Amino acid sequence: MHCHSTVVLHDWLPCPERPIYDRRRRLYLGVPHRPLTMRVGIVGNGVAAVTAATEILRLDPSAEIHIFSGEPRGYYQRPRLIELLAGRANIDGVIRYGPEWYESRGIHLHLGVRVTRLDRERKELATDTGGPMGFDRVLIATGGLPFVPPIEGTDKKGIFTIRTLDDAIAIREWTEEHRKVLVVGAGVLGIEVAAALGDTGCDVTVVSHINRVLDVQLDEGASKVMVALLKRRGLKVALNFACRAMLGDGSVSGALSTDGKTLDGESVVVATGVRPDATLARDAGLEIAHGIVIDDFAQTSASGIFAAGDCVEWNGVCLGIIPVALNTARVAAQNIVEHGSVRYSGTTPVNALKVAGIDMMSIGDVHVTDNAEILTHSDADEGLYYKAVLRNGRVIGAIVIGNPTLARRLSRLVRTAEPVGSDADASLLFDV
């Protein structure tokens, strides 16, 4: 359902000043028997927004929640976009919650409505369809925006980024006719996109500007094993190819590197990461570093305004991964209902990838060398690579390719900080 009416917060109160609220008795002093109906405005409709809304209603079923989304559809899980690209899911199969899900929970869903301004003092949201609307609390869950490196000619036809359902639909439709594809970016998203399009029969080349793939998650040895596995699955991999320009007249026909090499391609997907979408917060005068700065309660620099998901920065760290979105959303929700009730203490980064029959897991500090013991096992012929990083007899980071059972074990050791002993060796630690 769409809601476009202008609403003034607390217009039902019988006095010009907002009265003091007694939390224990759940009523306003001076307004007998008036229960609190907390009004929460959520900007965004991704996993952080939906998780926070669900948690708020669990803690306070009387809360009035408004969710604003610039997209025309309900909630969908972004990882499911890969299934759409691969032809394993249709649009209806990607969308998890339609408007009826929100309506059944009493959530006011504003689809196709973009929030254009946030008044941090009044906690008011103005949109491109009207406003302002006032709230007791505001949650910013605007997610991230695709990062496109400074490459000439990225405005040509046939060049895409992927972040939304509409992006995935456009890529799928274009690549049905334009089958030679360059995927610029060799991170998790780039590998997933490449494998998905390869499954549809496209001729796909993964393009990395350095000498490895998945450089955040993997070390050099693991990357070599991964490249070999990708090639076995029919994907091409171009390493050390730093794109300078996209070629073609009108429509893309290939890419030119900074050292003069070229690659042919009639479709290009740029998957070089995301950056926090902090535009609304920045315009409102909130503290911004790389992302929207939040404290341990997921509150921004303005009282009563919270943030969660890919748009946030906590303790100088931005991690655009789903576990961070889930954790910060739950912390924000609990503190929206009762401020100070719970603290965010960080999220251990874990990345799991299962594409084209390849299982990969990377968790914790995998690139640490100072005061650390490194244990590795590699078998390129079998497509196996194991690495454990130990400090003070505990596993603080791990990489596993090709062994899901070992991946689960090492992941548990990292999460629990369970001692494995200072004399642990690879044969014992990797024996599953």
Side-chain angles (χ1 to χ4, degrees), residues 366-374 387 389 391:
V366 299
H367 299 296
V368 172
T369 56
D370 294 340
N371 301 315
E373 181 182 1
I374 310 296
K387 176 179 181 177
V389 182
R391 180 179 287 156

Side-chain angles (χ1 to χ4, degrees), residues 216-238:
V216 174
Q217 294 80 20
L218 305 182
D219 62 9
E220 187 172 355
S223 174
K224 289 180 179 178
V225 172
M226 179 60 72
V227 168
L229 288 171
L230 293 173
K231 289 181 177 179
R232 287 182 200 173
R233 305 303 296 187
L235 299 176
K236 300 172 184 175
V237 182

Side-chain angles (χ1 to χ4, degrees), residues 90-386:
N90 57 25
I91 295 173
D92 290 339
V94 170
I95 298 173
R96 185 168 183 180
Y97 301 143
E100 65 282 352
W101 182 89
Y102 300 83
E103 186 172 1
S104 68
R105 288 157 177 77
I107 298 172
H108 300 266
L109 177 62
H110 307 256
L111 288 178
V113 178
R114 188 172 64 88
V115 174
T116 57
R117 183 177 60 83
L118 163 64
D119 186 322
R120 56 179 290 178
E121 301 299 330
R122 296 176 178 268
K123 300 184 186 68
E124 290 179 344
L125 298 175
T127 73
D128 56 1
T129 63
M133 297 177 69
F135 297 93
D136 294 288
R137 302 287 186 270
V138 171
L139 174 67
I140 303 173
T142 46
L145 296 172
F147 170 71
V148 178
I151 301 170
E152 298 174 23
T154 53
D155 57 345
K156 297 182 189 300
K157 197 172 182 179
I159 300 176
F160 305 88
T161 57
I162 180 165
R163 187 65 179 172
T164 68
L165 179 52
D166 285 341
D167 293 335
I169 293 170
I171 292 170
R172 189 177 71 173
E173 291 177 348
W174 180 266
T175 55
E176 286 176 354
E177 299 294 332
H178 305 82
R179 307 293 282 170
K180 193 170 184 63
V181 183
L182 302 178
V183 177
V184 179
V188 171
L189 179 59
I191 299 297
E192 289 180 329
V193 168
L197 293 175
D199 286 348
T200 69
C202 287
D203 177 0
V204 183
T205 301
V206 179
V207 181
S208 174
H209 71 288
I210 58 175
N211 67 343
R212 67 177 71 173
V213 299
L214 298 165
D215 63 297
V216 174
Q217 294 80 20
L218 305 182
D219 62 9
E220 187 172 355
S223 174
K224 289 180 179 178
V225 172
M226 179 60 72
V227 168
L229 288 171
L230 293 173
K231 289 181 177 179
R232 287 182 200 173
R233 305 303 296 187
L235 299 176
K236 300 172 184 175
V237 182
L239 301 178
N240 294 309
F241 191 101
C243 291
R244 172 186 163 190
M246 292 297 157
L247 304 175
D249 184 13
S251 295
V252 67
S253 63
L256 172 69
S257 73
T258 54
D259 58 358
K261 293 180 289 189
T262 60
L263 289 171
D264 293 334
E266 53 190 351
S267 302
V268 174
V269 180
V270 180
T272 48
V274 298
R275 298 291 184 269
D277 183 359
T279 303
L280 182 70
R282 181 180 291 107
D283 292 345
L286 303 182
E287 183 181 355
I288 308 294
H290 294 291
I292 304 170
V293 176
I294 59 171
D295 61 16
D296 292 351
F297 305 109
Q299 186 169 241
T300 69
S301 57
S303 177
I305 300 177
F306 298 78
D310 291 358
C311 63
V312 305
E313 177 174 336
W314 176 80
N315 273 10
V317 177
C318 296
L319 289 175
I321 55 177
I322 289 176
V324 169
L326 294 172
N327 292 340
T328 54
R330 293 183 183 119
V331 169
Q334 292 179 58
N335 286 300
I336 282 172
V337 175
E338 184 175 358
H339 192 267
S341 60
V342 65
R343 289 178 178 269
Y344 178 62
S345 56
T347 301
T348 300
V350 56
N351 286 276
L353 181 69
K354 185 176 178 64
V355 294
I358 303 169
D359 287 284
M360 183 280 290
M361 185 277 299
S362 173
I363 184 171
D365 298 321
V366 299
H367 299 296
V368 172
T369 56
D370 294 340
N371 301 315
E373 181 182 1
I374 310 296
L375 302 178
T376 61
H377 169 78
S378 181
D379 187 334
D381 292 338
E382 294 295 324
L384 301 176
Y385 186 87
Y386 313 149

